[in-house]
Amino acid sequence: MDSSSAVASTIVKNWRERPPSTYSLKIDNFSQLENSTTVSDDKYQSCPFTSGGYNWRLIVYPKGNEKDDGSGFISMYVEIDSKSLMVFTPPTEVFAELRFFVYNKKENKYFTIQDLEVRRFNALKTVWGLQQFLPLDTFNDLKNGYIFEGGFCEFGVDVIVASPLTNWEILSFDEKLSEPKFSWAVKKFSELKGHVYRSDCFSMGGREWVLELYPKGASGSDGKWLSVYLSLAAGDTLKADEKIFRQGHIRVLDPLGSNHIEDETKRWVDESKKSWGWVQFLSLAELRKTYLDKGDTLNVEVEFEVVSATKFSTII
């Protein structure tokens, strides 16, 4: 067996009254256990047991695992049944926390070593454990209480299998939009009578958007301002708790091309707030003076710089 042992910096030793919750191995004659392992590669393998839906075995080296620097110690390992890893394609990886036990009759408690490092079991690494669990001199000395009643002793292990990842989120930011600009020519602006006008829907960052224009201003503009909003299109619905970050600029273009009016839009969009803009984007007096071309057309443009996207697991 190659080195499959925890290093000293990742283990914690303590005592506890509660017995192992995963598996207990009770032996009525430790010396005979030692004797029997001389013909089984110096180790005893327990019967299979289950934890987290996988099959395991507890492995005890009563004289230490010399091949893993365990000479002079009790060595303890757990091994996952490799067949249970092959149920899926590709083969499963299992992450587990390990705690090893030996009962002490004198203390009436379990001496416990916990491996703080969560161990990864896979087809290439099926065994993890402690090559130097307890010195043999300490264990074999009857005064210490690990062996009692004529050779009785108890080993154990807790194998706590981490549940597969089911809750996740991937947040990405698209900064290289293929066509970052959308232009809207609002014709015969001076003749518009409606309260609000909407552009055609346009795609940006994988979502559908629309510009909203209030020729005489939205509520709170006193009828003296052009109001402009950027909204997620009505047909583009967001999932519960989904949100989108968008950043860019909205402009009213100067027909002469020298003095565009623009402002930055940088907002998180969610289902409760799909629209955001400016009540007082541009005064109507300045608009009529400078920003209508000879055909009475107002040109509005939005240029996106960043649009986020989120993929996440579904809450069941």
Side-chain angles (χ1 to χ4, degrees):
M1 181 182 298
D2 61 356
S3 180
S4 304
S5 306
V7 297
S9 61
T10 67
I11 64 174
V12 172
K13 302 177 181 180
N14 55 41
W15 294 87
R16 85 177 199 187
E17 295 182 351
R18 184 166 61 88
S21 59
T22 302
Y23 195 74
S24 169
L25 171 63
K26 295 180 180 180
I27 300 162
D28 70 357
N29 192 321
F30 183 73
S31 64
Q32 284 300 325
L33 175 69
E34 290 180 302
N35 179 55
S36 68
T37 57
T38 59
V39 294
S40 59
D41 200 22
D42 297 323
K43 65 185 178 183
Y44 177 80
Q45 292 180 293
S46 75
C47 296
F49 58 90
T50 61
S51 181
Y54 299 92
N55 293 331
W56 309 80
R57 290 181 189 269
L58 175 62
I59 302 173
V60 178
Y61 287 78
K63 295 182 180 180
N65 182 8
E66 295 182 1
K67 298 177 182 178
D68 194 22
D69 195 28
S71 181
F73 292 83
I74 298 286
S75 301
M76 297 177 65
Y77 304 84
V78 286
E79 180 178 22
I80 192 169
D81 183 355
S82 59
K83 293 180 181 178
S84 61
L85 295 171
M86 300 300 178
V87 176
F88 302 99
T89 303
T92 306
E93 285 193 327
V94 179
F95 293 86
E97 297 179 24
L98 306 175
R99 285 195 291 264
F100 294 92
F101 300 80
V102 63
Y103 180 67
N104 187 292
K105 179 74 171 179
K106 181 179 178 180
E107 300 290 338
N108 195 24
K109 293 180 180 180
Y110 289 86
F111 175 66
T112 305
I113 297 184
Q114 179 177 356
D115 187 355
L116 297 179
E117 185 76 21
V118 177
R119 295 302 175 182
R120 177 187 294 182
F121 293 82
N122 53 41
L124 299 177
K125 195 70 169 178
T126 59
V127 178
W128 281 103
L130 300 170
Q131 81 276 44
Q132 298 181 359
F133 178 76
L134 191 66
L136 281 172
D137 291 344
T138 301
F139 184 83
N140 287 322
D141 189 339
L142 298 180
K143 293 182 296 186
N144 291 328
Y146 294 103
I147 299 176
F148 52 93
E149 296 176 4
F152 194 90
C153 61
E154 180 186 357
F155 300 100
V157 66
D158 280 350
V159 180
I160 304 168
V161 177
S163 301
L165 178 66
T166 56
N167 300 301
W168 53 268
E169 180 176 336
I170 301 173
L171 175 63
S172 60
F173 295 90
D174 189 350
E175 300 175 277
K176 298 180 180 179
L177 300 163
S178 57
E179 296 181 3
K181 290 184 181 181
F182 172 78
S183 298
W184 180 24
V186 185
K187 298 180 179 180
K188 298 182 179 179
F189 180 85
S190 300
E191 300 177 17
L192 298 179
K193 304 298 182 182
H195 178 59
V196 59
Y197 292 83
R198 294 178 176 85
S199 71
D200 293 335
C201 292
F202 59 94
S203 296
M204 202 71 67
R207 312 304 302 221
E208 296 292 317
W209 306 88
V210 65
L211 284 170
E212 296 179 348
L213 197 72
Y214 293 78
K216 295 180 174 58
S219 176
S221 69
D222 300 325
K224 298 179 181 179
W225 297 85
L226 174 74
S227 302
V228 181
Y229 290 79
L230 174 62
S231 303
L232 198 64
D236 198 330
T237 58
L238 295 173
K239 299 176 184 177
D241 297 318
E242 184 180 8
K243 56 187 178 182
I244 305 165
F245 176 74
R246 58 166 171 79
Q247 180 177 354
H249 288 81
I250 292 180
R251 305 180 183 96
V252 170
L253 302 181
D254 181 357
L256 302 179
S258 60
N259 190 27
H260 305 316
I261 296 295
E262 75 170 30
D263 211 332
E264 183 181 42
T265 173
K266 183 193 293 188
R267 287 291 182 274
W268 283 98
V269 178
D270 58 28
E271 191 61 35
S272 67
K273 190 67 175 179
K274 299 173 68 174
S275 179
W276 190 90
W278 299 264
V279 173
Q280 298 181 353
F281 187 83
L282 175 63
S283 73
L284 292 177
E286 187 177 359
L287 182 153
R288 296 187 183 100
K289 178 181 178 180
T290 306
Y291 291 96
L292 295 175
D293 66 14
K294 294 180 180 180
D296 195 28
T297 296
L298 181 72
N299 290 289
V300 183
E301 177 182 271
V302 57
E303 181 175 5
F304 282 77
E305 297 170 2
V306 181
V307 180
S308 75
T310 307
K311 297 179 181 179
F312 53 92
S313 57
T314 303
I315 299 176
I316 300 176

